Each structure stands twice: as structure tokens, then as C-alpha cells.
Amino acid sequence: MDWLFGYIFSVIRISLLSSLCCKFLIDAEAGIVGVNYGMLGDNLPTPDKVILLLQSRNITRIRLFDPNPDALKALDGSGIDVVLGTLNDDLQRLGSDPLFAKNWIKINVVPHAKTIHFRCITAGNEVVPSELAVHVLPAMKNLQMALKAINLTIPVSTAVSTAVLGTSFPPSQGAFSTEVSSVMRSITAFLAANKSPLLVNIYPYFAYIYDQNNILLDYALFNTTKVVVRDGTLGYKNLFDAIIDATYSALEKVGGASVDIVISESGWPSAENGDIATIRNARMYNNNLIAHALGNSGSPKRPGKCLETYVFAIFNEDLKPPGTEQNFGLFYPNMTEVYHVSFYP
Ligand SMILES: *[C@@H]1O[C@H](CO)[C@@H](O)[C@H](O)[C@H]1NC(C)=O
Ligand SMILES: *[C@@H]1O[C@H](CO)[C@@H](O)[C@H](O)[C@H]1NC(C)=O
Ligand SMILES: *[C@@H]1O[C@H](CO)[C@@H](O)[C@H](O)[C@H]1NC(C)=O
Ligand SMILES: *[C@@H]1O[C@H](CO)[C@@H](O)[C@H](O)[C@H]1NC(C)=O
């Protein structure tokens, strides 16, 4: 009988192992792509409908800008992983009052801790540089302490825009601006010590529109197979990679060589800026962006590194400032596609 048990055990073990390996391989091969759930619209569907829409499209990650209770409820048990943000308006209290941070976790995270996998919690969005920037690290520390106290291991970070970069070209010269370098150095030390990623909002669209004389549209749209920019031994075929590598360079200069980057936002508007913000260009950019992330090619500086990427955004949002800002959505508020994007390789 012993051999039989031994045999059965090893079969079970082998199948467990192979399913683990498979999961690992699928994750490693498929890359990670999610969407930003912006809610600045007065005509958007309810969160339960939105989550069903995402599930029907195989979208397995979402970023919330604030702990919207209805959205969190709809995400319970959905299998969709969540990047959860705090309101910028809460940063000062989160940073100065550990009890407020503890309560924030108790109210927004604890009730969902068994039903939602939280990918990370972000203290604020695009507040460096601003007068709120000094509160970011204290808020991160208090949130992390509150999580640790109840044995929840969820990375804590913040999301920055590329306005933190004083130099972004060539990528190897990337550096934080003098204005933010001290605050970014402290944040980076915290991230490195806790092995947490920095979340960065990366928009080749904005880089392109402010420097059209020097940047090719195809380079911004991932629509070239040729190296467009050479930087030492590295060759760049798209602006997205160049911006990411400039950010890695900036992190390296403040002791963050080990810190990973998560692309918390990227996207392209489909209307309201002539020939640049068109459905054709938005479709091309976002499909190429997703294929780039799913392909796990990394960037020239970190080839093969997984670039977890969150597309901005699910919906066109009519309460944002008029113009392109209202037209970053993959879907209209009535849930029909603005253009088709494939979230599956
Ligand atoms: C979702 O993924 C499944 C495989 O798991 C695939 O068969 C299906 O076509 C995908 N659906 C969409 C809308 O991409
Ligand atoms: C957290 O884990 C530690 C060590 O395993 C344990 O002593 C403690 O009681 C746990 N705390 C809570 C709130 O679960
Ligand atoms: C660039 O865009 C054109 C027009 O849509 C398309 O035919 C071509 O395949 C694209 N090239 C690359 C490298 O994506
Ligand atoms: C959804 O909204 C868009 C934009 O307003 C419109 O063009 C489209 O016809 C609508 N689709 C449906 C099914 O109502």
C-alpha cells in the first residue's frame, strides 16, 4: 500500500507543481494590464455594471482613485485585483494622524481583505510636486504601519506624474528635478526598503504635443519597428520606453536602482485635438501599449522586466475639463466601445 500512497502522493504533487508552474508561466508570459476607473462623470453606469463589463473583457486589474464603497463592494469576489488610492485631500491627515490612517485601513481595506486582492495602496495621485508633496511619505508610513499592525501585507506607494523629472532626455540622463529631488529621495528609500514599486503616470501624448518639432508621431504611437533614438548602446523604438528608462535613471540617481516601476496611467485621447487626438491614433496607441505590456519585453534599460500597466481610462468623463481630458475613455458612458481594444494576447 505504501507504494500506492507514494505514487498517488507524487502524482498529486506533480500535478500541483505543474499547475503552479503553469500559473507562473501564464503570469510571466502574459504580462499585466489593467484599467483606471475614473468616475468624474454624471452619466456613468453603476459600479456593479462596470465590473461585469470588465469581466466580460478579461480585464483582471483595476485602479481606483479613491475608496469608493460601491466600487469596492462590486469588486468583492470578482477576481479583479485592485490598486487602491487615497484622496489627495486626505494626505495631510493620513500623514499627521496615525489613528486616522488606522481608521482609513479599517473602513476601506479590512472589510474586503478576504474578498479582494489589493495589489497596492497609493497615498495620493500626482501630488509631487505640489504643496501636498511633503505629506506623501508620512502618509505612506502611517498606512503601512496600520497594515502591519493587522498583519496585512499590501505594498504602499504613491503615483507620480513625469512632472517629477527635471531631465528626461536622453533616457540615460533622466533625473528628478531639483524641486522634488529631496522628497523623491526619501520616498525612494522607503520603497526600496519595503520592496514596493513606484507608480508613474506616463503619457507620450503630452510629451508629443508639447514638442512636436522634435518627436515623430509614429514614435509616440509605438508605430515604428525602427530604432528612432539612440542613447549610448541602447536603441529606442517608442517614446513610452524612453520615458520609463528616464524614470529608472532618475530612481538610480537617488539610490533606487532596485525599485520597480508600475505604470499607473497611460492612454491617448480620441477627440478634441485635430489630427492628433483621433480614434485611429487612440486605438493604435492603446492596442500597442497593451501588446507591449502583455509581451513582457520590458524596456531597453530593463529588458524582459514585467511592466504592469493601467490604461487610462474606462470611460469618457464629462465632468473633467472640456477638451481632450474628457476623451481618454475606451468606452462611452453607455458602455459601447469608443474603439476596440484587445486585453488578451
Ligand atoms: C477571454 O479569455 C478567454 C480565455 O481565457 C478567451 O477565450 C476569450 O476570447 C477572451 N475574451 C475576450 C473578450 O477577449
Ligand atoms: C500578527 O502576527 C503576529 C505574529 O504572527 C501575531 O503575534 C499577532 O497576534 C498578529 N496580529 C493580528 C492582529 O492578527
Ligand atoms: C503603422 O500604422 C500603419 C497605419 O495604420 C500600419 O499599416 C502599420 O502596420 C503600422 N506600423 C507598425 C510598425 O505598427
Ligand atoms: C453610445 O453613446 C455613443 C456616444 O454618445 C453613441 O454614438 C452610440 O450610438 C451610443 N450607443 C448606444 C447603443 O446607445
Side-chain angles (χ1 to χ4, degrees):
M1 287 299 275
D2 269 349
W3 66 269
L4 184 58
F5 277 113
Y7 174 74
I8 291 172
F9 182 64
S10 54
V11 168
I12 290 171
R13 213 170 46 169
I14 286 164
S15 61
L16 264 178
L17 271 177
S18 57
S19 64
L20 277 178
C21 285
C22 262
K23 183 171 164 23
F24 174 73
L25 282 178
I26 287 168
D27 286 350
E29 277 169 6
I32 296 171
V33 178
V35 286
N36 280 273
Y37 190 1
M39 295 185 174
L40 299 178
D42 58 13
N43 51 2
L44 299 180
T46 53
D48 53 335
K49 294 203 181 86
V50 175
I51 301 315
L52 286 175
L53 172 67
L54 301 191
Q55 285 175 318
S56 77
R57 299 296 306 276
N58 286 336
I59 297 171
T60 56
R61 302 255 178 160
I62 196 169
R63 174 170 174 236
L64 301 181
F65 289 92
D66 61 85
N68 180 289
D70 294 332
L72 286 168
K73 210 165 143 217
L75 283 159
D76 277 331
S78 66
I80 296 175
D81 293 357
V82 176
V83 172
L84 180 61
T86 74
L87 287 171
N88 290 345
D89 284 345
D90 283 341
L91 281 175
Q92 184 162 7
R93 280 194 76 189
L94 285 167
S96 60
D97 183 355
L99 198 61
F100 184 79
K102 219 171 160 177
N103 268 324
W104 195 96
I105 296 293
K106 189 172 153 190
I107 293 164
N108 301 309
V109 177
V110 171
H112 308 282
K114 289 198 166 68
T115 42
I116 293 176
H117 177 248
F118 288 100
R119 165 65 179 96
C120 76
I121 291 174
T122 55
N125 181 45
E126 298 194 346
V127 294
V128 187
S130 80
E131 66 281 8
L132 287 176
V134 293
H135 304 300
V136 171
L137 183 59
M140 287 165 67
K141 285 181 171 165
N142 281 342
L143 287 166
Q144 172 133 317
M145 233 162 41
L147 289 166
K148 276 221 169 106
I150 51 172
N151 290 340
L152 286 178
T153 44
I154 302 172
V156 176
S157 187
T158 186
V160 296
S161 78
T162 46
V164 295
L165 298 176
T167 307
S168 59
F169 190 85
S172 58
Q173 298 302 306
F176 294 123
S177 69
T178 44
E179 186 189 356
V180 305
S181 77
S182 142
V183 76
M184 286 309 297
R185 182 182 293 275
S186 319
I187 289 172
T188 299
F190 176 90
L191 296 174
N194 292 291
K195 298 188 164 51
S196 298
L198 177 67
L199 278 73
V200 188
N201 299 340
I202 290 182
Y203 286 98
Y205 170 77
F206 290 112
Y208 171 74
I209 60 171
Y210 294 125
D211 197 7
Q212 289 177 48
N213 289 335
N214 293 309
I215 299 174
L216 292 171
L217 182 59
D218 279 345
Y219 179 64
L221 290 171
F222 296 89
N223 189 45
T224 166
T225 51
K226 289 195 288 272
V227 168
V228 174
V229 167
R230 278 240 160 253
D231 181 14
T233 56
L234 303 181
Y236 289 86
K237 296 175 184 167
N238 63 75
L239 181 53
F240 179 82
D241 280 348
I243 299 173
I244 287 174
D245 280 1
T247 314
Y248 280 131
S249 297
L251 281 167
E252 284 167 6
K253 292 189 174 84
V254 297
S258 68
V259 174
D260 286 340
I261 289 174
V262 166
I263 295 94
S264 35
E265 292 177 29
S266 192
W268 196 281
S270 62
E272 299 283 342
N273 188 10
D275 289 345
I276 303 168
T278 59
I279 285 182
R280 174 189 173 275
N281 286 350
R283 181 198 292 122
M284 185 181 294
Y285 180 82
N286 280 325
N287 277 294
N288 286 340
L289 172 74
I290 292 167
H292 187 58
L294 293 177
N296 254 343
S297 49
S299 62
K301 216 168 147 62
R302 306 274 164 92
K305 179 122 207 140
C306 172
L307 287 175
E308 186 177 336
T309 301
Y310 294 80
V311 179
F312 188 90
I314 305 177
F315 294 112
N316 281 345
E317 295 168 71
D318 67 350
L319 297 180
K320 298 202 85 175
T324 50
E325 289 283 328
Q326 296 188 355
N327 291 284
F328 273 82
L330 304 177
F331 295 90
Y332 294 112
N334 62 16
M335 303 212 286
T336 60
E337 292 181 322
V338 179
Y339 49 87
H340 185 68
V341 162
S342 172
F343 281 86
Y344 213 73

